[in-house]
Amino acid sequence: MHYDPDIFLRDYWQKKPLLIRNPWDAWRNPLDPDELAGLACEEGVESRLIVREEEGWTLAHGPFAADRFSRLGAQPWTLLVQAVDHHVPDVAALIDPFRFVPNWRIDDVMVSYASDGGGVGPHFDQYDVFLLQGLGKRRWRVGPLCDGSSELLPHDDLRLLARFEATEEWVLEPGDILYVPPGFAHDGVAVGDDCMTYSIGFRAPSRSELIEGWCDHLVDEMQEDDRYSDPDLRVQGNPGEISEAALTRLHAMVTGKLLDRDAFACWFGEYNSAPKYPETDWRPEEPIGRAELADCLEQGMALARNPASRLSFIRRADGLLLFADGRSFACSGETVALAEAICAQAQVRLDPAAGRSPETLDLLAALIDQGSLAFDQED
């Protein structure tokens, strides 16, 4: 893909929208509309159907019956399927050109299919998104920045802007990309049938989410007998006073663990790498044995990262801490380079002639057994 990530990050990232006209060498739509409809019919796949009717917008949640889409009337409609990259490798590959944004910020690829005039209405999001036109055409209008005070239409499920005035407008064709930063109002409407858009979204945890999650974690780790104590208590002039010494001790009880940066780093890595859909079980039917693992590596088989897995790491003085699907793994020595490769590449192939330390085998076996990695059967 041809555009300069450094210039993009400097001039546009979280600053202003940008239209990128087809930067691909040869754009190819990676998913057929019928395949998308099939995913929307499956249990465990998050999907929504939005229909624009005369009286307003209606929203239905999947999974949908196989004949649901053939029964739609003439009203414009849009099908939205979340995390399609978890199920379709070619869709997962769309994320690769955008990995100049760190892995821990990546959310998923939502795919939409719309009939002529279909869309989800004018709205704004709290995250960065690249809107990649896959098939057909869509007219995008972008407006000003919005916030929590922006007036919304009354609707139980959709957050649609009551007032929307576009400041810029473009028609996107296959391969074109529109970047929209957080907070900018935008509205996309299909121009003709068979309109498919790939929304590559990025996460941004809110302050309240971080505080709540970190504090809940700390509380869960605390012992019931970890209580206030004052063995140096002295008689006070007035028993009603909460003394400065008591306040200092109480405050330290709260802030001591709260401000532990190393503990926060470990918690955040596990919290942020937790699976988007934890109820989905990606584990193999049988755990891999060390002998079988070593044999596969000696044959030169490549390891493929599960597209649904979230992997990242934090460097430490003695190596790094690898996070994979809500778990952490301390890495040192040769496992450091291995962890870095797993985070940076969709497929990793180890030197068949190299020796395997017990630490390497243990790390790989753990990642395979929890479904984060698997040997590439198409290799």
Side-chain angles (χ1 to χ4, degrees), residues 49-54 58 67-78 113-118 193:
L49 180 63
I50 299 175
V51 180
R52 186 172 186 175
E53 300 177 341
E54 291 185 6
T58 63
D67 64 346
R68 178 68 176 90
F69 308 109
S70 63
R71 292 187 284 107
L72 290 167
Q75 301 97 332
W77 58 273
T78 297
Y113 175 90
S115 67
D116 186 25
D193 290 322

Side-chain angles (χ1 to χ4, degrees), residues 270-337:
E270 294 180 352
Y271 166 83
N272 183 76
S273 68
K276 184 178 180 71
Y277 299 104
E279 66 278 6
T280 303
D281 188 356
W282 297 99
R283 293 176 299 176
E285 293 183 3
E286 295 290 338
I288 190 167
R290 298 301 186 273
E292 179 187 358
L293 173 57
D295 183 58
C296 290
L297 294 173
E298 288 175 5
Q299 293 179 42
M301 293 181 64
L303 286 158
R305 187 173 59 205
N306 182 351
S309 291
R310 291 172 166 171
L311 295 101
S312 56
F313 65 85
I314 292 175
R315 296 195 188 279
R316 305 195 301 185
D318 58 349
L320 60 78
L321 201 57
L322 171 67
F323 304 103
D325 295 325
R327 292 183 62 191
S328 58
F329 303 87
C331 298
S332 60
E334 68 180 43
T335 59
V336 170

Side-chain angles (χ1 to χ4, degrees), residues 55-315:
E55 61 273 18
W57 305 82
T58 63
L59 171 67
H61 293 273
F64 299 102
D67 64 346
R68 178 68 176 90
F69 308 109
S70 63
R71 292 187 284 107
L72 290 167
Q75 301 97 332
W77 58 273
T78 297
L79 172 66
L80 304 168
V81 183
Q82 209 73 40
V84 177
D85 53 305
H86 293 191
H87 308 280
V88 183
D90 285 346
V91 173
L94 294 178
I95 300 174
D96 292 343
F98 303 99
R99 288 193 184 274
F100 55 84
V101 181
N103 285 356
W104 72 268
R105 292 293 309 276
I106 296 170
D107 188 6
D108 68 355
V109 182
M110 182 185 74
V111 184
S112 69
Y113 175 90
S115 67
D116 186 25
V120 301
H123 64 286
F124 69 98
D125 301 309
Q126 298 290 357
Y127 51 82
D128 302 88
V129 63
F130 290 92
L131 300 162
L132 168 57
Q133 191 64 22
L135 189 67
K137 298 181 181 180
R138 186 183 291 271
R139 174 175 287 105
W140 283 104
R141 297 186 297 153
V142 176
L145 275 169
C146 302
D147 56 30
S149 65
S150 300
E151 184 181 357
L152 302 178
L153 292 174
H155 198 289
D156 292 338
D157 301 299
L158 298 173
R159 293 176 51 82
L160 303 179
L161 290 165
R163 296 177 179 83
F164 175 70
E165 294 184 5
T167 56
E168 296 183 275
E169 180 176 324
W170 307 277
V171 174
L172 269 66
E173 300 190 11
D176 293 342
I177 303 169
L178 176 62
Y179 164 71
V180 183
F184 277 85
H186 54 287
D187 181 28
V189 178
V191 180
D193 290 322
D194 288 336
C195 172
M196 288 185 71
T197 302
Y198 298 82
S199 300
I200 301 162
F202 294 82
R203 296 180 290 165
S206 69
R207 191 188 303 268
S208 62
E209 288 171 342
L210 288 175
I211 292 175
E212 181 181 19
W214 174 226
C215 290
D216 285 349
H217 169 76
L218 289 178
V219 171
D220 290 342
E221 295 289 308
M222 290 176 185
Q223 302 298 317
E224 180 64 22
D225 58 1
D226 184 9
R227 292 177 175 270
Y228 177 84
S229 64
D230 48 5
D232 56 348
L233 184 64
R234 299 290 185 269
V235 176
Q236 297 183 177
N238 187 323
E241 180 185 4
I242 302 174
S243 69
E244 185 65 27
L247 282 173
T248 298
R249 186 169 287 165
L250 288 163
H251 187 255
M253 288 182 68
V254 174
T255 59
K257 291 184 178 297
L258 197 65
L259 300 180
D260 186 335
R261 191 179 185 282
D262 289 340
F264 174 81
C266 183
W267 165 81
F268 178 74
E270 294 180 352
Y271 166 83
N272 183 76
S273 68
K276 184 178 180 71
Y277 299 104
E279 66 278 6
T280 303
D281 188 356
W282 297 99
R283 293 176 299 176
E285 293 183 3
E286 295 290 338
I288 190 167
R290 298 301 186 273
E292 179 187 358
L293 173 57
D295 183 58
C296 290
L297 294 173
E298 288 175 5
Q299 293 179 42
M301 293 181 64
L303 286 158
R305 187 173 59 205
N306 182 351
S309 291
R310 291 172 166 171
L311 295 101
S312 56
F313 65 85
I314 292 175
R315 296 195 188 279

